[in-house]
Amino acid sequence: MSSTRILAIDTSTDACSVAIWNEGKIQTLSELRPREHTQLILPMVQQVLVDSGLLLNQLDVLAFSRGPGSFTGIRIGIGVAQGLALGVNLPILGISTLQIMAQGAWRVSRAERVLVAIDARMRELYWAQFERQKNGYWYELKGEMVLSYAQALDCVHGLYGDWTYVGTGWQKYPDLISESAVNIVDGQLLFPQAEDILPLALLAWQQGLALAVENAKPTYLRHSVAWKKLPGRL
């Protein structure tokens, strides 16, 4: 595993980030500049490659956040990933944005039971509930799905045990926290980060789950976001 070289990119939300796993060493860059992903992503990729002392054709696989998230952001991510991978004949791995955020909660606070809620606008949330296994895999207790605020509240009311929450949905709907009868702690993570793609991609790579470029697919969950999204927003 340590000899594997992976480039990861994430443009699925307001944050734009890239990371490289190079034989056990990690280089990462992240910017919170909404609506500028198309200008940022390729220079950021070039920078982490330079910082890692690698060329694109020295990588083993390219991983990207496949969604759910911003419709435009997901399209940018998969388009850039496919373009880069195609140019040097790399296989590709699409990783769930929600699972990436669960992995981020583990990185930040060693959280093992994670509630992920991303604001999907229109009073809806992209939602998932994960539990970390000893081998590093995340078991999906519930998700990936689009929930109304009322449905998310029902999920919160049905919780038991201790949980950590991440994502913009909790900031948008703080009642989801105050209405809970169980202990829910802030995971201190609003947006997914490419560095959290790396351990998930390593596991997927070991399992032989990498795909040819043309087989990579996004996860939108809600296709209507394409025409209902707010003007001027990702």
Side-chain angles (χ1 to χ4, degrees):
M1 185 173 80
S2 60
S3 62
T4 308
R5 292 168 169 175
I6 299 176
L7 171 66
I9 67 173
D10 176 76
T11 59
S12 61
T13 64
D14 284 352
C16 180
S17 60
V18 299
I20 282 182
W21 173 279
N22 179 18
E23 299 183 351
K25 297 178 182 177
I26 294 174
Q27 296 285 343
T28 184
L29 287 175
S30 180
E31 296 273 359
L32 185 57
R33 285 159 63 184
R35 302 180 297 281
E36 295 183 34
H37 293 6
T38 49
Q39 290 78 35
L40 290 170
I41 189 64
L42 288 175
M44 289 172 72
V45 167
Q46 183 58 40
Q47 188 60 55
V48 293
L49 285 168
V50 169
D51 292 345
S52 300
L54 292 175
L55 298 174
L56 197 60
N57 63 7
Q58 292 177 302
L59 299 171
D60 294 299
V61 64
L62 198 154
F64 68 99
S65 175
R66 60 172 168 78
S70 149
F71 183 84
T72 304
I74 294 167
R75 286 190 300 174
I76 291 169
I78 193 170
V80 169
Q82 287 179 312
L84 291 171
L86 190 62
V88 289
N89 196 30
L90 284 178
I92 204 165
L93 283 165
I95 308 293
S96 161
T97 304
L98 303 179
Q99 194 173 101
I100 294 163
M101 296 209 70
Q103 181 66 35
W106 167 258
R107 172 177 55 85
V108 172
S109 61
R110 288 300 183 259
E112 295 185 343
R113 302 180 85 206
V114 185
L115 299 168
V116 186
I118 297 176
D119 178 19
R121 306 194 181 104
M122 295 181 278
R123 208 165 169 76
E124 291 181 331
L125 299 139
Y126 298 124
W127 181 276
Q129 298 169 210
F130 291 103
E131 188 168 71
R132 192 175 189 273
Q133 308 300 294
K134 289 182 180 179
N135 58 8
Y137 290 94
W138 288 92
Y139 177 65
E140 191 177 275
L141 297 167
K142 187 173 287 189
E144 304 169 316
M145 61 181 75
V146 182
L147 296 182
S148 67
Y149 166 75
Q151 290 170 324
L153 200 55
D154 285 343
C155 284
V156 167
H157 287 157
L159 293 173
Y160 60 89
D162 296 334
W163 290 86
T164 298
Y165 66 86
V166 292
T168 54
W170 308 94
Q171 188 180 61
K172 178 77 172 179
Y173 302 109
D175 286 356
L176 290 173
I177 303 162
S178 60
E179 287 282 332
S180 171
V182 300
N183 186 37
I184 307 182
V185 236
D186 187 353
Q188 305 294 322
L189 192 69
L190 282 178
F191 303 104
Q193 295 294 323
E195 64 183 298
D196 297 315
I197 295 175
L198 296 174
L200 302 171
L202 281 166
L203 290 172
W205 175 251
Q206 285 181 312
Q207 286 188 295
L209 298 179
L211 301 171
V213 172
E214 62 272 17
N215 294 327
K217 298 193 184 308
T219 299
Y220 295 122
L221 293 187
R222 189 185 67 197
H223 296 282
S224 58
V225 74
W227 54 270
K228 287 187 179 178
K229 70 184 178 71
L230 298 177
R233 296 295 298 274
L234 274 178

